[in-house]
Amino acid sequence: MEKNELVNYIKQLPKAELHLHIEGTFEPELMFEIAKRNNLSLAYDSVASLKKAYQFNNLQEFLDIYYIGAQVLLHEQDFYDLTWAYLQKIHQQNVVHTEIFFDPQTHTDRGVSFETVINGIYKALKDGQHQLGISFRLIMSFLRHLDESSAFETLKQALPFKDWIDGVGLDSSEIGNPPSKFERVFKQAADHGFKLVAHAGEEGPAEYIWEALDLLHVCRIDHGNRSIDDAKLVERLAQQQIPLTLCPLSNLELKVVQDLKEYPASKMLDKNLLITINSDDPAYFGGYLNENYIALTNNLSLTPDQIKQLAINSFKGSWLNEVEKNKWISEMEQLIPTKN
Ligand code: HPA
Ligand code: ZN
């Protein structure tokens, strides 16, 4: 296929997104609008100067600015608007299912109530389901740079909203905050019936992926780039078909990889790993889901069959039930004959 045919092929494929931080979809234009209506000022005087600051050498440099941006979110309507803007965006990209993270501690630590945050996000997700036909799951993520007691407190705050929250995750500064720090919190979350995921092996070593699997008992690994360093781990991930939620543009912008030409996706597909493509924090990393697929396709010369496999994997790795998964997968197999 020609390059533009491949781009069109990517655009029309139905896709699921499995690794997306809703606070990371906060576009500068909306950030300024919400700051203004909340009578808050940002440390930057314009959208252009804010965007100029989006140059990161590592995860921490990004997180520092990401937490500052989130500070203008105060009211339920703010969280609704943030989530609604993301849903409208992905609707145009044929994303039909999304599993989003939210970081309650980023907001509760500033005095915004858990209820305010989740009400806004959940109402927008329900509206997206009814008006745009986008199905969803919601994942509450613990900030791993904070201590265990703060995570336990957050879990307690989540219990009245248990029916709205499908799983828990672990994000923020990875190095020095291994999964083992949250073993007891994850055990309690599992006892309450939450599904479990964790960021591991983005900047941290393969060892953290082992810990996420064996100590936290996660069913999916967020990022997991470093798994490729460890042949035994690759064998385990392939054998158990544990999904990895890769985020190519995020990895490039945070210097997890220096060049997408060296991205391990083709190698991982060859090793039968269940990899998926995701956008992580699209407002900060220069692209939503389609842009991630396109960048990877251009750099790795992916074939239409490999692209389709990635989209199929996004449903396989999702928390949709088997009937829903099979519906999407068989629809893709029937409607889209591929020619390489
Ligand atoms: N890694 C860790 N924490 C995060 C990320 C990420 O990619 N995005 C938002 N919080
Ligand atoms: Zn992430």
Side-chain angles (χ1 to χ4, degrees):
M1 274 191 201
E2 298 283 333
K3 212 169 181 172
N4 63 341
E5 270 185 287
L6 276 173
V7 168
N8 289 333
Y9 182 68
I10 289 166
K11 287 182 178 171
Q12 55 82 50
L13 274 177
K15 293 163 291 280
E17 171 138 83
L18 307 180
H19 182 158
L20 181 283
H21 302 264
I22 199 62
E23 294 89 349
T25 69
F26 206 0
E27 291 288 349
E29 291 77 7
L30 184 61
M31 199 181 284
F32 273 88
E33 190 185 315
I34 291 180
K36 192 168 165 209
R37 76 188 187 206
N38 288 342
N39 291 315
L40 294 168
S41 57
L42 285 160
Y44 302 88
D45 59 6
S46 67
V47 166
S49 69
L50 175 59
K51 281 187 180 166
K52 228 187 222 161
Y54 289 2
Q55 289 187 12
F56 316 110
N57 290 303
N58 53 46
L59 174 60
Q60 194 58 50
E61 287 187 12
F62 155 69
L63 290 170
D64 291 344
I65 214 163
Y66 160 87
Y67 294 130
I68 289 172
Q71 286 175 9
V72 305
L73 298 163
L74 295 183
H75 308 294
E76 185 179 309
Q77 188 67 43
D78 304 339
F79 291 93
Y80 181 97
D81 291 348
L82 173 71
T83 309
W84 185 246
Y86 163 68
L87 292 167
Q88 285 184 300
K89 186 83 190 178
I90 63 168
H91 185 51
Q92 295 163 4
Q93 297 207 346
N94 276 321
V95 178
V96 297
H97 176 73
T98 187
E99 303 194 352
I100 74 170
F101 294 115
F102 73 115
D103 291 343
Q105 289 150 297
T106 299
H107 314 296
T108 53
D109 275 15
R110 302 181 285 117
V112 177
S113 76
F114 191 100
E115 189 178 3
T116 297
V117 177
I118 198 165
N119 273 341
I121 295 171
Y122 191 75
K123 284 179 187 172
L125 288 169
K126 286 302 272 185
D127 285 351
Q129 184 176 28
H130 293 130
Q131 295 174 37
L132 308 172
I134 300 171
S135 55
F136 68 89
R137 297 289 185 270
L138 187 53
I139 309 172
M140 172 176 92
S141 210
F142 300 114
L143 298 182
R144 69 203 304 160
H145 68 274
L146 300 179
D147 60 21
E148 185 197 37
S149 67
S150 176
F152 268 125
E153 175 57 27
T154 303
L155 183 56
K156 198 165 124 198
Q157 290 172 358
L159 294 181
F161 304 96
K162 213 172 134 184
D163 292 348
W164 291 359
I165 302 170
D166 299 280
V168 304
L170 189 62
D171 65 4
S172 192
S173 320
E174 186 179 9
I175 294 173
N177 296 297
S180 54
K181 182 176 167 185
F182 297 94
E183 187 175 351
R184 299 192 309 175
V185 181
F186 270 60
K187 166 81 175 65
Q188 196 175 102
D191 290 344
H192 284 294
F194 292 109
K195 291 185 179 342
L196 310 172
V197 295
H199 284 52
E202 178 185 16
E203 284 187 343
E207 180 58 31
Y208 284 16
I209 303 174
W210 285 108
E211 281 192 12
L213 295 172
D214 293 334
L215 301 181
L216 303 188
H217 305 290
V218 300
C219 63
R220 199 158 78 195
I221 297 285
D222 294 310
H223 295 295
N225 298 55
R226 297 267 58 83
S227 60
I228 210 78
D229 301 340
D230 182 333
K232 273 219 151 55
L233 180 56
V234 168
E235 200 181 299
R236 159 101 177 262
L237 294 168
Q239 203 245 330
Q240 297 187 6
Q241 287 291 283
I242 295 164
L244 300 184
T245 62
L246 301 177
C247 305
L249 289 176
S250 164
N251 292 160
L252 185 66
E253 292 302 311
L254 301 187
K255 315 274 192 292
V256 168
V257 296
Q258 304 311 315
D259 190 333
L260 285 183
K261 294 222 167 355
E262 291 147 26
Y263 207 69
S266 309
K267 204 161 150 191
M268 287 173 161
L269 282 175
D270 290 345
K271 292 186 184 295
N272 195 30
L273 295 184
L274 187 68
I275 59 166
T276 65
I277 302 305
N278 306 276
S279 70
D280 207 6
D281 302 283
Y284 292 88
F285 300 144
Y288 285 75
L289 195 55
N290 283 349
E291 288 78 19
N292 274 273
Y293 273 80
I294 292 165
L296 209 57
T297 299
N298 288 341
N299 282 282
L300 298 181
S301 304
L302 296 180
T303 65
D305 279 341
Q306 285 175 312
I307 296 165
K308 186 159 104 176
Q309 186 63 53
L310 292 169
I312 288 176
N313 286 356
S314 75
F315 293 101
K316 277 193 182 165
S318 77
W319 293 345
L320 287 167
N321 66 38
E322 290 305 312
V323 174
E324 292 166 315
K325 279 186 196 186
N326 290 334
K327 176 187 98 80
W328 284 115
I329 294 168
S330 64
E331 189 170 306
M332 288 164 83
E333 277 165 353
Q334 282 164 27
L335 289 182
I336 306 149
T338 45
K339 56 185 170 94
N340 279 299

